Amino acid sequence: MKKYRLKNLHCANCAANIEETLRDLDSVRFVVLNFATGTLHIDTDDLSTVQEKIRTVDPQVELEEIESSDHDTHEHAHGLDLENKRELFLIGLSAFFFVLGLIFRSTLHHTPFSWAEYVVFLVAYVASGARILWTAARNLRHGQVFDENFLMSIATLGAIAIHELPEAVGVMLFFKVGEFFQDLAVQRSRKSIRALLAIRPEYAYRKVDGEWQKVDPSAVQVGDLILVRPGEKIPLDGVVIEGNSFVDTSPLTGEPVPRSVGPQDEVLAGMINQQGMLTIRVTRPFGESSVSKILDLVENASNKKAETEKFMTKFARYYTPVVVFGALLIAVVPPLVIPGASFYDWIYRALVLLVISCPCALVISIPLGYFGGIGGASRRGILVKGSNFLDVLAQTTTVVFDKTGTLTKGVFRVTKVVPQENIPPDEVLRWAAYAESRSNHPIAQSILEAFHQEFLPEPDAYEEVAGFGVIATIQGKRVVVGNDRMLHRENIPHDQCEVEGTVVHVAVNGTYLGYLLISDELKEDAPKAIQRLRAEGVQRIGMFTGDREAVARALAKQLDLDFYAADLLPEEKVEQLERVLRESDGPVAFVGDGINDAPVIARADVGIAMGALGSDAAIESADVVIMTDFPSKVPEAIRVGKRTRHIVWQNIGMALVVKGAFIALGVVGMATMWEAVFADVGVALLAVFNATRVLRT
């Protein structure tokens, strides 16, 4: 898979045609063209055929392999500046002769100066339209009839043929000006998107032979030491070895509050060191760092296109031919069947239709709108892995949360030890700690923390039973630690089944010793998240948990949830979600930690992984990755999806209404070619500016 920049790609409709043409090639295994960023992702062994096919669609477009370097980016920007200056010069030259022709039109129009009228206006026409005419001729040779260059050429040359010189020049000049500002708007939009993604570190100071050397981050290896000064971006993921500071995590998480770090704390590429010097030992190569994954997710999100995008691309293929053939009928049929009808009038009306037959306003604004939504979400620490998921978020009617680590902090502590009669409390805690010594589960860690002993006996045998607990052989004794279901599974007699709260039972050699009561705190913004979800129009909010019924019931009541399911194994969560999917009248989102909940996240209409900063499993399994631990980011993601969808449909509605109105006005002879150009280029320009609003969502 390689990534290329498409130089001179200015037409959104051409971009859609290029992608469709390349997709039909047998030698192309995968292709996605992102007009919003002007890039092409393609997997092929026959690049020469690909380049040739691109030229048949748009001869101006050239492939340029991206080397991911600053020099490449600056060179590309410099090239755009030169092109813009050249276009401005041609516009100015055309405008000068056009105004000169208008001032002296009455003089030039009459003999013996009639030839001078053609000279003045044609100089203006060629200055503004030479490239359009040349492109139309080249495209025509390759069979590309229904593109904006050919249509504008036919319309203006037709106007010249019926001796409407000022109108032909004015339309071409206005079209040129509109295209220029449209290109500037697209460039501005792309620049804004790149600015959102400008978190990629540019350099790193690596320790080599006792000295700090400035190197490219990709040259740093795992285990190397790097130095980060105050105000610099942390270039790679790692662990702080020396120094204390505050780091700004907002480029990754969108959260403005700095985080304190010191020795043994993990830091991630893209964070900004604010105060002290930090010496960091690198734990991941640059290509696998969090910032690289984030950039890759955002830049490649267009691989999964929304249904709206797919529909408008298909619509555009039929819209232009229908309008063009309609224009042909209008030019020929009425003068033949309507008494007194003039070919001049009806040809003029047909030319008006040709001008507004290009679907660029529709095609250009949709990818920009969706990409802007994805970029705006990433700025808030919400990674959406495709524009299709923005659409699903916008329509979500049911949200289901995992409990531990999602609605609650997942930071457990032992609050009470309840032994059986004649059993010391310390013995219950001791055997629980011995058995849990190998587990990384938060509950196990809370037991070890409560026991306060560094050296624990190594189990002779150890088994972790998902959804139940652990079984270990320690000092010749069989220790069972887990929930009530574990006791029933092992047929261990006990007198306590229903206990309020999270409970860990302990048994040794089949004898029940007692239980530990574990508490987990609700996240501060969990109630606010539920309120905001309801404000966003989510109809049903629920919770799945492997915890006990009593704990789930109390939490569901506290948060005013619509439903919950407790005592669930991972596979049972999937079964419960299937039931919710059948009952829901819209898309269902599941929010979990992205590791333990991977199956149910994958099954939901949109899976959301929360608190997943740096988690490979979360990024792989989820459709939306929230880079913080705040449940309130879920309604924020839904709001971004709704606003993006709203702006996209605003553009579609505006383009269809305006173009439809001008088609009708053109048919009845109430629209001029000047107005038709506004209907084409003007609406496209407005749609682009409107699409960029989603960046500020």
Side-chain angles (χ1 to χ4, degrees):
M1 178 80 67
K2 286 195 174 182
K3 181 179 177 182
Y4 298 90
R5 179 177 291 113
L6 292 165
K7 294 178 66 176
N8 306 318
L9 180 64
H10 307 296
C11 170
N13 192 39
C14 299
N17 291 335
I18 288 172
E19 184 178 25
E20 193 68 27
T21 302
L22 295 181
R23 190 173 284 121
D24 292 337
L25 290 177
D26 294 334
S27 59
V28 173
R29 292 177 289 274
F30 176 85
V31 61
V32 170
L33 195 157
N34 187 343
F35 180 74
T37 55
T39 55
L40 176 75
H41 291 78
I42 190 165
D43 183 8
T44 182
D45 298 323
D46 190 359
L47 191 61
S48 60
T49 301
V50 168
Q51 291 175 319
E52 184 60 34
K53 282 292 182 182
I54 290 175
R55 290 192 192 99
T56 63
V57 178
D58 191 336
Q60 299 180 88
V61 175
E62 298 176 20
L63 280 183
E64 181 182 67
E65 190 167 354
I66 296 176
E67 301 294 340
S68 301
S69 67
D70 288 343
H71 172 72
D72 176 70
T73 302
H74 295 325
E75 191 177 85
H76 177 62
H78 181 64
L80 286 176
D81 287 341
L82 288 176
E83 185 180 341
N84 291 339
K85 288 177 181 177
R86 185 169 60 250
E87 291 297 302
L88 271 176
F89 171 77
L90 291 174
I91 287 171
L93 180 66
S94 177
F96 172 77
F97 280 96
F98 177 59
V99 172
L100 187 68
L102 289 179
I103 293 173
F104 298 102
R105 186 186 180 191
S106 58
T107 303
L108 295 173
H109 190 65
H110 297 93
T111 56
F113 301 105
S114 58
W115 58 270
E117 180 184 12
Y118 277 92
V119 170
V120 172
F121 281 114
L122 287 180
V123 168
Y125 180 78
V126 171
S128 59
R131 195 172 76 171
I132 294 168
L133 294 167
W134 175 243
T135 303
R138 286 194 305 180
N139 289 356
L140 189 60
R141 288 204 308 271
H142 292 98
Q144 296 294 323
V145 178
F146 301 115
D147 79 303
E148 60 183 349
N149 298 293
F150 179 76
L151 297 171
M152 189 57 60
S153 299
I154 293 298
T156 52
L157 289 172
I160 292 173
I162 60 175
H163 205 74
E164 290 290 343
L165 290 173
E167 193 146 2
V169 176
V171 166
M172 185 63 85
L173 177 59
F174 188 29
F175 178 75
K176 183 80 168 179
V177 171
E179 288 283 283
F180 175 74
F181 282 110
Q182 180 178 302
D183 289 344
L184 282 183
V186 172
Q187 290 169 24
R188 180 174 174 268
S189 176
R190 289 173 176 171
K191 186 178 179 181
S192 299
I193 291 167
R194 283 196 298 271
L196 288 175
L197 304 178
I199 58 176
R200 188 189 299 273
E202 300 169 359
Y203 58 87
Y205 285 102
R206 179 179 61 178
K207 195 168 190 178
V208 180
D209 298 330
E211 296 183 357
W212 297 107
Q213 294 184 359
K214 189 175 182 179
V215 298
D216 189 277
S218 60
V220 180
Q221 305 296 318
V222 173
D224 287 352
L225 295 181
I226 58 173
L227 180 70
V228 183
R229 299 185 174 101
E232 294 180 341
K233 290 176 186 174
I234 296 174
L236 297 105
D237 295 358
V239 175
V240 176
I241 301 300
E242 185 180 335
N244 293 276
S245 184
F246 285 90
V247 294
D248 177 8
T249 66
S250 61
L252 303 183
T253 66
E255 298 305 317
V257 180
R259 194 174 84 190
S260 174
V261 295
Q264 304 309 312
D265 286 335
E266 183 183 15
V267 290
L268 300 174
M271 294 178 175
I272 300 172
N273 182 23
Q274 292 189 323
Q275 291 186 354
M277 293 271 233
L278 293 176
T279 302
I280 299 168
R281 187 177 300 282
V282 175
T283 56
R284 290 191 189 96
F286 181 71
E288 297 177 15
S289 66
S290 297
V291 68
S292 293
K293 291 174 184 173
I294 291 170
L295 290 169
D296 184 63
L297 280 176
V298 176
E299 290 174 346
N300 297 326
S302 62
N303 293 2
K304 299 172 181 176
K305 296 187 178 181
E307 290 302 317
T308 311
E309 226 173 325
K310 295 176 184 175
F311 169 76
M312 291 315 302
T313 302
K314 188 177 293 185
F315 173 82
R317 290 207 303 268
Y318 297 102
Y319 166 82
T320 301
V322 167
V323 176
V324 170
F325 284 119
L328 182 62
L329 292 175
I330 286 171
V332 175
V333 175
L336 297 177
V337 299
I338 300 175
S342 165
F343 270 102
Y344 175 93
D345 290 336
W346 287 99
I347 289 174
Y348 184 86
R349 296 181 190 189
L351 296 177
V352 170
L353 262 64
L354 286 179
V355 171
I356 58 176
S357 59
C358 180
C360 279
L362 291 169
V363 180
I364 195 174
S365 61
I366 295 174
L368 284 178
Y370 279 115
F371 201 85
I374 290 166
S378 71
R379 186 171 55 185
R380 289 165 164 73
I382 303 167
L383 303 184
V384 184
K385 294 168 74 171
S387 52
N388 55 329
F389 297 122
L390 279 176
D391 265 2
V392 178
L393 282 170
Q395 301 170 71
T396 295
T397 59
T398 303
V399 176
V400 184
F401 287 91
D402 174 51
K403 180 182 81 71
T404 305
T406 303
L407 290 173
T408 63
K409 292 181 179 179
V411 180
F412 297 91
R413 56 191 179 90
V414 177
T415 55
K416 192 176 183 180
V417 181
V418 182
Q420 289 291 88
E421 191 175 350
N422 299 323
I423 303 292
D426 288 348
E427 186 173 352
V428 180
L429 182 60
R430 178 168 61 89
W431 285 111
Y434 285 179
E436 296 281 14
S437 61
R438 282 189 179 180
S439 176
N440 291 320
H441 194 282
I443 289 179
Q445 297 303 308
S446 70
I447 293 171
L448 295 172
E449 186 177 336
F451 188 53
H452 294 303
Q453 185 171 317
E454 290 186 19
F455 301 102
L456 301 173
E458 185 70 20
D460 298 319
Y462 177 85
E463 180 187 3
E464 194 161 337
V465 185
F468 289 87
V470 299
I471 301 172
T473 302
I474 305 166
Q475 297 174 348
K477 296 183 178 181
R478 189 172 187 270
V479 183
V480 176
V481 177
N483 53 27
D484 185 64
R485 288 187 299 177
M486 174 67 96
L487 297 181
H488 288 284
R489 179 180 182 270
E490 297 297 314
N491 297 315
I492 297 173
H494 58 289
D495 55 5
Q496 290 280 357
C497 283
E498 290 296 326
V499 181
E500 190 77 22
T502 300
V503 175
V504 176
H505 297 278
V506 183
V508 177
N509 286 340
T511 301
Y512 183 62
L513 300 186
Y515 66 84
L516 310 175
L517 191 63
I518 312 291
S519 67
D520 184 14
E521 294 181 59
L522 185 69
K523 290 183 178 177
E524 289 84 354
D525 72 330
K528 180 172 67 176
I530 304 303
Q531 293 169 6
R532 288 184 176 176
L533 281 172
R534 297 200 188 280
E536 291 296 336
V538 175
Q539 298 168 10
R540 301 177 71 224
I541 306 172
M543 176 184 69
F544 291 164
T545 178
D547 213 336
R548 301 174 63 255
E549 167 74 22
V551 177
R553 182 172 60 249
L555 187 61
K557 184 177 180 181
Q558 183 180 352
L559 291 175
D560 191 27
L561 301 180
D562 298 304
F563 63 92
Y564 68 91
D567 290 312
L568 299 178
L569 297 174
E571 60 269 22
E572 291 174 333
K573 287 184 179 181
V574 177
E575 293 172 6
Q576 288 292 326
L577 185 67
E578 293 283 1
R579 177 183 57 79
V580 173
L581 286 165
R582 288 193 299 269
E583 295 172 354
S584 178
D585 59 355
V588 176
F590 183 86
V591 189
D593 60 18
I595 303 172
N596 300 328
D597 296 314
V600 69
I601 282 177
R603 178 62 189 90
D605 292 317
V606 55
I608 303 175
M610 227 182 63
L613 196 61
S615 169
D616 296 337
I619 290 178
E620 287 298 323
S621 62
D623 307 314
V624 178
V625 180
I626 292 176
M627 307 305 285
T628 66
D629 286 321
F630 302 130
S632 57
K633 288 287 185 180
V634 177
E636 195 170 339
I638 290 176
R639 186 169 67 253
V640 170
K642 285 188 172 182
R643 181 166 171 80
T644 303
R645 185 175 171 84
H646 181 67
I647 287 176
V648 165
W649 278 102
Q650 270 184 353
N651 283 340
I652 291 172
M654 175 177 64
L656 288 177
V657 168
V658 172
K659 281 180 175 286
F662 274 88
I663 286 174
L665 292 172
V667 170
V668 298
M670 295 178 63
T672 66
M673 290 179 66
W674 291 80
E675 293 160 344
V677 171
F678 171 77
D680 178 42
V681 180
V683 172
L685 192 59
L686 291 174
V688 170
F689 282 126
N690 192 39
T692 59
R693 289 197 302 127
V694 78
L695 288 167
R696 301 186 293 275
T697 299

